[in-house]
Amino acid sequence: MESEDTKKTQEMKTDLNLLLECLKYQMDNAVSQKEALVTIHSICQQNSNASVYFREIGGLMFVKNLAKSSEHSMVKEAALYTLGAIAEKNVYCQQTLCTSELFEDLTWFLSNDSNINLKRMSVYVILVLVSNNRTGQTLVRETGCITVLSRLFRTVISKYELDLSDKNVFQSYQLWSSVCSTLCVCVNNPQNDENQMFCCSLFPHANEWLKNCMKPEIIRPICSFIGLTLANNTYVQKYFVSVGGLDVLSQVLVQLESDSHETLSSAKLAVVVTKTVDACIADNPTFGIVLSKYHIVSKLLALLLHESLDSGEKFSIMLTLGHCTEDCEENQYDLFKNNGLPLMIQALTESQNEELNKAATFVLHNCKKITEKLSLSLGEYPFDENETQQLKDINVKEKNLEEHWRKAKEILHRIEQLEREGNEEEIQRENCQGNISSMNMSIQNTWKHLHADHIGRATKAEDEDKSHSRQFQSYKSHGVMSKACTNDDQMKTPLKSANPVHACYRESEQNKSLYKAKSSCNQNLREETTFEKNFISQSSDHVFKHPVHIAKNIKQQLPVTDPFTLCSDIINKEVVSFLATPSCSKMLTYRCSGCIAVEKSLNSRNFSKLLHSCPYQCDRHKVIVEAEDRYKSELRKLLICNKKILLTPRRRQRLSNESTTPGRIKKRRVRKNFTEEEVNYLFNGVKKMGNHWNSILWSFPFQQGRKAVDLAHKYRKLTNSPMCAASSLEEDCQFSLDF
């Protein structure tokens, strides 16, 4: 398979070299040059690598110069067509051709009295060079090429009555359509504000064409040009409205909507005009007042009911309705009068398309205020008496309108309810955090007070223990601890801050498992109270015991090995981060061994065993364990050899096999002598490519199994041997002469 691909690649390169030579030596034969250019175009279209190779051998620049210097029009047309096709196929070729010199030559072709086909080919090359290329957009403006394109846009077609059956008229229309497409890529994709500002001068001419010609061949290119020139540019949008462009589009849309009841093409064309209208008012919703004069909302609603439209086209219509009603009460009222709200509700409830649902929700949200006004009373709505009377007539004629209004109110009520719930959740989260901070402060103050009283009355330790126990229980009974979500980590924090290190350590030695609590934010504190009683009764001899006096002359102290004390800062951070989360109602009953096991000297081996043996892994260590297991399983699969799992590394296993089987003979490749053809290939390759053995190996049909190192060794032997070198050189010269 690889040899076939290599053979095809070599044939392609040979063909391109021969065709380029044909172009160079057939300068007087225009027909041969045209046929060679057409063949080059065909090869580059079939093979993606052909364009790159043709550029590397200098063919691209030669064809460019040929298009400029040739005296024959057919050769110029074929050369420009080939350049455009190659640049369209490969972005590197596009960047190579994107020069001011080529744009000036193309401008010269368009400015002179050239034939229409040559102008079309020139416009095609400009289109390819500018498309998705900001550098091309800049050059087309700086070289004046866009000025020539604008003049062609105005002058190529002079009559509004097009007879496309006429050959000359049809060729002119094709050139005009190509100019429209080129102007579109000059202003957008990527967006170019300067080119948009320049092309807005063509709006009055485009408006005249829309007024006087309603053919799809004219409306589609002009609407595409207007829509892309308006996109995301408020200044150009304001200018378009000031020259009457939005009024013209509204008139065209009204006419196409009336024709859509008879022809399907008119409905499709009306959607194209709708998208252009939406591009004009998307960033300026106040322009919707212009559309209200032509009752565009009612036309869009009628167009929305057309059965031939797909979901994408209906989405464009709904989005335009949303922008029309965003900041214009006249359009909102028009939507209400023409039964638009029930239609939006129906689309919202029945459609499975998410984009359509979003667009319908957008329209309903825009009509929220006017819905509230009309639902209160008809007299409170600030319209004249005639419109109020019309509204009453509509309510009398449509009996089912109340049901639709009820659904609309339910949807609005649901939206408001969701907003209120979101606000309440934020307030509760802030209150929960405030309660946690106040509770921590109160606990710390209480423990400090208890510890100070304990130091002042050291002679009555047993009585003090009982009094502190009663005081802590009474403090618990007042409900201070019931204001926040409690867990075992939270109980450890105040204990750590109140007790001395050695006291807590002695307590942990006597009672390794002090408590296990399981509760939530809404659970009562009976379990916690019971736990506190048991905890204080067990640790009263140690927790509230007077600290041992330390001698001043002792210079060394025993190292602190209490895991709870060593992890105090980490535990504090975990408690605060845990309680600050919205899901503080769930508490951790057990701790992960990977989080608290700090008394051991951990490494990659015992830490993995520790995590695997822990039944209460946290989410972070659980992910680590799963990832390690997956890696080990994949590694075992890779190490399976002869249905045996290799328990040692590959290199060690190979050495052990060699040591255990000393008589084993390593299998070698079959020796293949170099033929005369291969020697010729080797010398020709070195002459053309140098000591690039891989390139030589891929460029010539050597025997199967040859490697680049084989070629290098063979060439070294041939050059070191005088007789072989002389004979090979003689054969090489003879081969070159024959070629």
Side-chain angles (χ1 to χ4, degrees), residues 260-322:
S260 64
H261 301 286
E262 299 178 358
T263 57
L264 176 61
S265 60
S266 297
K268 299 288 185 181
L269 197 59
V271 176
V272 176
V273 179
T274 301
K275 293 179 181 179
T276 308
V277 172
D278 183 60
C280 183
I281 66 175
D283 299 323
N284 292 281
T286 55
F287 293 158
I289 192 67
V290 180
L291 303 177
S292 63
K293 298 186 297 184
Y294 302 95
H295 303 288
I296 295 298
V297 173
S298 61
K299 303 300 179 182
L300 293 177
L301 290 174
L303 188 63
L304 189 62
L305 296 174
H306 208 282
E307 298 179 354
S308 61
L309 301 181
D310 56 16
S311 59
E313 294 169 338
K314 290 183 178 180
F315 169 73
S316 301
I317 296 173
M318 283 191 178
L319 190 60
T320 307
L321 283 172

Side-chain angles (χ1 to χ4, degrees), residues 57 84 135 150 272 303 326 333 354 367 408 417 485 503-504 525 567 583 589 647 652 660 665 690:
I57 64 177
T135 304
S150 302
V272 176
L303 188 63
E326 186 174 2
Y333 181 59
E354 184 178 357
C367 299
Q417 185 178 1
C485 308
C504 182
L525 299 177
C567 295
S583 60
T589 305
L647 300 179
R652 189 186 303 173
T660 54
I665 300 176

Side-chain angles (χ1 to χ4, degrees), residues 139-167:
L139 290 175
V140 78
R141 182 182 67 256
E142 292 177 350
T143 57
C145 187
I146 194 172
T147 305
V148 179
L149 292 174
S150 302
R151 185 168 64 249
L152 291 175
F153 181 80
R154 294 189 184 97
T155 59
V156 170
I157 302 178
S158 57
K159 296 181 180 180
Y160 295 125
E161 296 180 359
L162 289 178
D163 185 11
L164 298 180
S165 59
D166 188 357
K167 182 178 179 181

